[in-house]
Amino acid sequence: MRSVRARAALGATLVVAVALTAAGLAVLLVLRGNLTDRAGLEAEVTAREVAGELALGTPYAELELDDADSHPVQVTDEEGRVVAASEDLEEISGTGTAADRPAPSAQVPAPAPDGDDDDQDEDGEDPGRGEVSTDTPDFVNGTATVDGESQEYRFAAVEATTRQGVTLTVHAGAPLAAEQEAVNTVRTSMLTGLPVMLLVVAGVTWLVTRRALRPVEGIRRELAAITASEDLARRVPEPESRDEIARLARTTNETLAVLEESVGRQRRFVADASHELRSPIASLRTQLEVGAAHPELLDVPGAVEDTVRLQALAADLLLLARLDAGERPGRTAVDLGALVREEVSQRVADRIPPQVSVADPGPFEVAGSRQQLARVIGNLLDNAERHAERSVALSVRAERQAVIVEVTDDGTGVPEAERDRIFERFVRLDDARARDDGGAGLGLAIARDVAVRHGGTLAAGTAAGGGARFTLRLPAAPGPVR
């Protein structure tokens, strides 16, 4: 039962078995009911024929009761005594009369008490005729023994009133042997065919499921091979069909592609981080070793600068690690206008003081982390200071349910072909390769990652004066956050 094929075959077999059993029982019940109703109809016709003869005044001895095997007949009076019965009818049961056993022929009463065969009474008047009940007869199942052989019959009871006002009950039967034989034949056929049908259903379900799941096994084997070889460049086979398994294979390959890209980016990140860390650490170690051997040659400002640079690089790497781990920003309301003014007021050592322009009215609130958004603004200002010649400008405004922050400079700008690549980690353009002039190439990468995790965007463009323009777009805070 650990196999999907086995469970599918078993489930389909059980469902079909229950359905066929229910359908078979319904067919048997309907067949039995129809045959029983037909036998009851035959018995009713016979009973009404005999009752009609009695109503016309036919003597008991002259009643047509010869067909005892097919339609045994028994006539009883109001006290339940048998007054007439079919020839060779030895015993009858199930009719509910006081005497189920027919009376011997010697005990059958005389036909009519007056013994007159004419249609007129003593006064010369027509005594009239009897009548047959038009009510629905009572039907019962019973047995009758005819000429020493007992069988089951369907009996119909019809009342008749003679000319003399005597009420008689005619019990006529129809055999149920044909009904029982038909029901038994159908039951035997169903019991014989049911196992064969279930075996066919189980086999077909097994084969169809096996054929449908064959691509899944191929996907599993390839994934196992990829796991063992750690080669994320491999892909699972995609079936040509357009069913769920084909979509599963395509999704799996897309996942492998994303995983391969993620692992490659992580490896490049580790390699670049190691390279960036090696330089300040080596420089700091050299200065400390020289200072230990020759204290008069110790470059304290240089050591402090390398330490600060190393500290900033470690902080950037730590922030990127948290962002890669899926750290979500907070949901506090942050006024970007106030945050920009605060950040600019703290940059007293900038080579070019930024010009701040905050549109009215405010506030310009967004939902997020104040610390991370401050880091984005600081990184954009650092980048502008590094490339600007005479001016750096920063503006804040609202636009279509969003808050826009733009940082521009009058430097050489960003070539159009490099406007996406500069947001990659450890990427620096040619004019920023010098370690003394530029950072490690993580500022813009951190800024874009933070913007994306806040539901916004960060794009590079060209300023009006020909320099670089970086546009930060963040969704405005909704009402509850405000």
Side-chain angles (χ1 to χ4, degrees), residues 24-314:
L25 292 176
V27 169
L28 290 177
L29 292 176
V30 172
L31 179 62
R32 184 190 296 272
N34 291 337
L35 294 177
T36 301
D37 292 342
R38 188 180 69 177
L41 180 60
E42 293 180 4
E44 181 182 359
V45 170
T46 302
R48 290 193 179 277
E49 290 178 354
V50 175
E53 294 180 15
L54 292 173
L56 292 174
T58 303
Y60 300 146
E62 297 180 6
L63 295 175
E64 296 182 3
L65 306 176
D66 298 335
D67 194 7
D69 291 336
S70 300
H71 300 95
V73 178
Q74 174 182 274
V75 183
T76 60
D77 58 12
E78 295 177 351
E79 297 180 358
R81 294 175 300 180
V82 179
V83 297
S86 298
E87 187 180 358
D88 297 333
L89 179 60
E90 301 175 0
E91 185 178 0
I92 188 172
S93 62
T95 59
T97 60
D100 283 341
R101 189 177 186 85
S105 59
Q107 298 179 1
V108 176
D114 54 5
D116 190 1
D117 293 337
D118 296 332
D119 292 338
Q120 297 180 349
D121 58 9
E122 296 177 355
D123 298 334
E125 296 179 356
D126 187 358
R129 55 174 298 175
E131 61 181 13
V132 179
S133 174
T134 59
D135 296 337
T136 302
D138 296 331
F139 295 98
V140 293
N141 291 343
T143 60
T145 303
V146 180
D147 198 14
E149 184 178 354
S150 297
Q151 293 185 13
E152 292 187 2
Y153 290 86
R154 180 73 169 174
F155 291 101
V158 177
E159 291 185 353
T161 303
T162 64
R163 292 180 176 182
Q164 292 76 23
V166 178
T167 300
L168 302 175
T169 302
V170 181
H171 297 276
L176 295 176
E179 175 264 348
Q180 294 176 350
E181 182 179 358
V183 171
N184 292 334
T185 301
V186 173
R187 182 190 301 114
T188 302
S189 301
M190 288 183 176
L191 293 177
T192 302
L194 181 61
V196 177
M197 179 66 68
L198 294 181
L199 288 176
V200 172
V201 170
V204 172
T205 305
W206 176 276
L207 293 177
V208 172
T209 308
R210 179 182 180 183
R211 181 180 180 87
L213 295 180
R214 186 177 301 167
V216 177
E217 180 62 21
I219 295 173
R220 187 202 63 80
R221 286 197 301 266
E222 186 62 25
L223 283 176
I226 292 174
T227 303
S229 63
E230 298 183 358
D231 183 8
L232 296 178
R234 300 175 60 174
R235 297 293 181 265
V236 300
E238 295 186 10
E240 297 180 358
S241 60
R242 298 181 180 181
D243 54 8
E244 293 82 355
I245 298 179
R247 292 195 293 270
L248 172 63
R250 287 192 291 270
T251 303
T252 302
N253 286 334
E254 292 173 359
T255 303
L256 289 174
V258 173
L259 183 60
E260 180 185 11
E261 176 63 24
S262 176
V263 171
R265 185 171 60 251
Q266 191 69 22
R267 289 174 179 173
R268 292 192 300 270
F269 175 74
V270 172
D272 293 337
S274 300
H275 177 74
E276 293 293 336
L277 287 172
R278 186 164 51 245
S279 298
I281 291 176
S283 176
L284 182 60
R285 178 180 177 179
T286 301
Q287 295 183 52
L288 293 177
E289 289 178 349
V290 171
H294 305 281
E296 68 279 3
L297 299 179
L298 178 60
D299 185 8
V300 176
V304 172
E305 183 179 351
D306 287 340
T307 304
V308 170
R309 183 164 177 265
L310 185 60
Q311 182 182 9
L313 181 58

